[in-house]
Amino acid sequence: MMNTPLTIPPMLERAERYFPSKQVISRTLDDMHRLSYREIGRRTRALASVLTEFGLKRGERVGTVAWNHHRHLEAYFAAPGIGAVLHMINMRLSSDHLVYVINHAEDRILLIDEDLLPIVEAVKDQLTSVHTYIVLSDKKEVPHSTLKPLYSYEALLEKGNPNFAFLEDLDENEPAAMCYTSATTGKPKGVLYTHRGITLHSLVQGMVDTTALSENDVCMPVVPMFHVNAWGLPFSATFYGATQVLPGPQFTPQLLAELIESENVTFTGGVPTIWLGLLQVIEKGNYDLSSLRAVICGGSAAPRSMIERFEKTLNVPFFHAYGMTETSPIVSYARLKSYQHSWSEEERYQIRSKQGMAVPLIDIKGVNENGEIAWNGKEMGELLIRGPWVADHYHEDERSQEAFRNGWLHTGDVVTIDEEGAIKIVDRTKDLIKSGGEWISSVDLENAIMGHEAVLEAAVVSVPHERWQERPVACVVLKEGHVVTKEELNEYLATQFSKWWLPDDVLFMKQLPRTSVGKFLKRALREQIVGAKKES
Ligand code: AMP
């Protein structure tokens, strides 16, 4: 067979050739844009020529500090097209971490959204590798800024070559993109994605037994383009010629609901927080969501109650998936096997709220101190993963040795795997609660609490305990206008869990602290609770 390289330029070329008139709908600060793949192709090529003119060399990094919009999409293809690496920077990182990732990746050029300039301006004196800044905006004028030299993206594109040819001698194992993990402790860790990994990951997103993304779809990635390449969706949606809807800066749940309705979005993906927000507006408002055929949820556990609300109340199919920055991200996808459709509703929702089976080409196992765990849905162990879109090291980071051993990625996620092969994430290793020598899953408790009609959000953390070593404490945000007491919540939980699982305390809060990608920041909650206990 021919050993043709699996590289990124042919993905865009396919959209240019076969779907030139299909659209990328993009919301920016000033406007809604509708660009055809023909235009996106020409603009991407012009950007590739501009980056080359700036002296960006093969293997060098170009960073983006940007929302989900068409200019970001163009950068997704332009940088890999000249053999450079696109580093998508999480704009919500602390300034320390922001400086760390830009310097550690040795970004040469930064592409920055106009409204995000202040974030970079605040740390510019600490940046050691950047020689050029480019502002992403609808305007051709360069705004006032302390970043120097600063160029206008649109002005540069006007001078670029829209027929620029991408490199033809790219090796599929060259890096094409890069993201850092949103570490809750320690410095973020850099993951490089190869052309090959991204191409194969895109193929699997098109499989009928996974997300089945296709040309028929109108795909709206809500997950940020800096969070594991927006789960790879901009690459695969372009590859398949799907219509894309990119929701741009500072979107609200209302705006997402409006976009779903007006653009007939069929496919969307994001973390549970996004869907909680959307549920609240759509249950109050009057939106037509009938176009949606798949809402993909990952990044944190999707509470079963959320899956049921989407499907039963709104008639919107909702799918639970699991992955990590280190895995591009798709590892597993929860779907019913053909013979499970006839199982009871209870069994079906149980399957659907697990994290699902590994997708083709991904290999998994669970391991604990006794060796490999049995696939019986009971034994718990750390999840190990390998596959063609799983990283095998962190970029220049000695923590690689800990995470990547004997050909497997050690995830730090504790799982059970059932007889059908479905993974259930019990907890992060460090979030599991060990009470009197027995494990309590904070995730299970959280999901159950979030099923209570008065509860909007809940996070359960372990706090040190003299007698039992650790005990669970629940932090709960109530829905507007609802009340429930600690005793009532524990009574409700007592129907589902043994008594020793029930939280020792329930703290009612206005909001829960979150990580930069919208997950509950349990470390902060734990410190808050332990600190308050010490003071009292
Ligand atoms: P990140 O690299 O930021 O995407 O975070 C990856 C981590 O998020 C995983 O190691 C899991 O702990 C968690 N995670 C991702 N998807 C899920 C899911 N569907 N259910 C539970 N945890 C998840």
Side-chain angles (χ1 to χ4, degrees):
M1 297 281 148
M2 292 182 194
N3 190 8
T4 55
L6 306 176
T7 57
I8 292 187
M11 298 171 78
L12 175 65
E13 281 159 8
R14 188 163 190 280
E16 292 177 300
R17 183 172 298 155
Y18 294 108
F19 311 106
S21 59
K22 296 227 30 209
Q23 282 192 335
V24 173
I25 299 148
S26 163
R27 176 177 162 264
T28 60
L29 271 184
D30 302 317
D31 217 343
M32 282 293 285
H33 301 257
R34 287 172 191 277
L35 294 107
S36 64
Y37 276 119
R38 183 183 292 112
E39 289 167 284
I40 292 283
R42 290 174 64 80
R43 288 169 55 87
T44 302
R45 289 170 188 280
L47 174 60
S49 75
V50 166
L51 295 176
T52 308
E53 289 279 308
F54 274 120
L56 193 69
K57 295 196 192 66
R58 207 151 164 165
E60 284 188 340
R61 266 74 66 189
V62 45
T64 54
V65 184
W67 302 101
N68 293 11
H69 51 59
H70 64 288
R71 297 188 179 96
H72 208 167
L73 179 72
E74 289 153 9
Y76 261 51
F77 288 91
I82 58 168
V85 179
L86 192 74
H87 170 202
M88 289 138 280
I89 300 165
N90 179 346
M91 82 268 292
R92 299 196 188 105
L93 289 177
S94 65
S95 44
D96 271 6
H97 282 181
L98 191 69
V99 170
Y100 174 80
V101 301
I102 296 172
N103 289 345
H104 188 256
E106 296 174 76
D107 292 334
R108 302 279 178 219
I109 299 174
L110 287 186
L111 307 178
I112 311 165
D113 271 356
E114 191 178 358
D115 58 325
L116 301 174
L117 286 173
I119 295 176
V120 183
E121 286 167 347
V123 299
K124 70 172 190 347
D125 294 336
Q126 298 169 65
L127 302 183
T128 51
S129 55
V130 181
H131 58 64
T132 302
Y133 299 94
I134 298 173
V135 59
L136 306 176
S137 141
D138 292 358
K139 308 176 196 84
K140 288 194 191 112
E141 305 80 57
V142 178
H144 175 75
S145 167
T146 53
L147 298 179
K148 303 261 173 325
L150 180 65
Y151 299 89
S152 146
Y153 183 90
E154 289 302 321
L156 288 173
L157 246 54
E158 258 187 7
K159 291 193 221 129
N161 174 8
N163 299 312
F164 185 85
F166 297 125
L167 286 185
E168 286 193 1
D169 63 345
L170 285 166
D171 183 319
E172 63 178 18
N173 292 310
E174 277 179 66
M178 177 176 206
C179 284
Y180 280 74
T181 58
S182 53
T184 51
T185 49
K187 296 259 195 296
K189 293 174 272 190
V191 176
L192 287 163
Y193 305 104
T194 61
H195 285 258
R196 179 172 190 268
I198 292 172
T199 309
L200 290 172
H201 184 264
S202 302
L203 274 180
V204 111
Q205 280 183 323
M207 289 181 63
V208 178
D209 285 343
T210 66
T211 46
L213 187 70
S214 84
E215 188 266 331
N216 288 299
D217 278 309
V218 179
C219 173
M220 179 169 79
V222 180
V223 49
M225 287 172 84
F226 60 74
H227 188 196
V228 213
N229 313 326
W231 298 350
L233 292 171
F235 286 120
S236 40
T238 305
F239 196 13
Y240 296 128
T243 302
Q244 294 185 61
V245 178
L246 301 172
Q250 306 288 11
F251 54 78
T252 58
Q254 277 89 344
L255 180 96
L256 294 180
E258 281 161 24
L259 282 175
I260 294 169
E261 179 171 310
S262 63
E263 304 303 336
N264 292 312
V265 171
T266 61
F267 184 107
T268 181
V271 294
T273 329
I274 296 287
W275 306 134
L276 267 181
L278 186 70
L279 269 176
Q280 283 193 296
V281 305
I282 49 190
E283 282 176 349
K284 278 189 212 145
N286 190 16
Y287 298 99
D288 177 5
L289 304 184
S290 55
S291 58
L292 276 176
R293 71 154 187 89
V295 173
I296 314 289
C297 183
S300 301
R304 171 175 166 170
S305 52
M306 184 188 285
I307 308 180
E308 289 194 50
R309 271 162 85 192
F310 266 97
E311 299 205 337
K312 287 188 182 160
T313 325
L314 303 168
N315 208 15
V316 170
F318 191 92
F319 298 96
H320 196 191
Y322 162 81
M324 304 172 78
T325 303
E326 290 84 337
T327 63
S328 299
I330 294 202
V331 168
S332 67
Y333 187 70
R335 58 179 284 273
L336 295 172
K337 295 178 183 172
S338 52
Y339 54 85
Q340 291 170 332
H341 286 277
S342 57
W343 291 11
S344 72
E345 182 177 288
E346 176 58 29
E347 285 169 318
R348 281 184 280 132
Y349 274 112
Q350 270 184 25
I351 296 168
R352 307 270 316 284
S353 36
K354 291 187 180 182
Q355 280 72 12
M357 273 180 296
V359 298
L361 299 183
I362 290 289
D363 197 7
I364 57 148
K365 62 179 175 184
V367 171
N368 63 21
E369 59 284 5
N370 304 320
E372 224 176 287
I373 59 169
W375 289 26
N376 57 13
K378 292 192 186 79
E379 252 186 274
M380 291 196 290
E382 185 184 9
L383 180 67
L384 271 53
I385 307 174
R386 65 181 175 195
W389 50 87
V390 179
D392 64 1
H393 70 286
Y394 292 119
H395 178 60
E396 296 183 3
D397 197 315
E398 56 192 27
R399 289 169 292 180
S400 294
Q401 289 161 10
E402 205 183 308
F404 303 95
R405 277 178 277 142
N406 307 322
W408 292 87
L409 163 66
H410 293 243
T411 62
D413 287 322
V414 179
V415 296
T416 60
I417 306 171
D418 70 17
E419 293 81 354
E420 298 284 343
I423 301 168
K424 177 169 188 277
I425 306 280
V426 179
D427 232 321
R428 290 289 298 163
T429 324
K430 58 183 188 315
D431 292 332
L432 256 183
I433 304 163
K434 192 154 203 182
S435 172
E438 298 286 340
W439 294 112
I440 296 176
S441 160
S442 66
V443 177
D444 279 357
L445 280 175
E446 282 159 11
N447 286 345
I449 299 172
M450 286 193 266
H452 190 284
E453 57 178 9
V455 175
L456 182 63
E457 291 178 335
V460 172
V461 295
S462 87
V463 293
H465 191 280
E466 256 176 45
R467 178 157 176 218
W468 303 112
Q469 294 126 26
E470 290 178 350
R471 289 294 301 150
V473 168
C475 306
V476 172
V477 180
L478 294 179
K479 286 185 192 155
E480 237 178 77
H482 286 71
V483 270
V484 66
T485 63
K486 171 186 161 188
E487 290 69 30
E488 283 164 346
L489 258 186
N490 271 350
E491 258 170 53
Y492 161 82
L493 291 175
T495 59
Q496 304 170 52
F497 300 102
S498 332
K499 203 158 162 254
W500 60 274
W501 270 59
L502 305 187
D504 275 10
D505 209 351
V506 178
L507 306 175
F508 293 97
M509 303 186 163
K510 286 215 171 69
Q511 58 183 37
L512 298 177
R514 293 187 187 288
T515 69
S516 54
V517 291
K519 305 182 191 193
F520 299 141
L521 191 51
K522 293 197 184 177
R523 183 174 46 84
L525 279 172
R526 209 175 291 127
E527 284 167 5
Q528 209 173 313
I529 297 166
V530 174
K533 273 198 165 175
K534 276 192 192 140
E535 277 170 29
S536 63

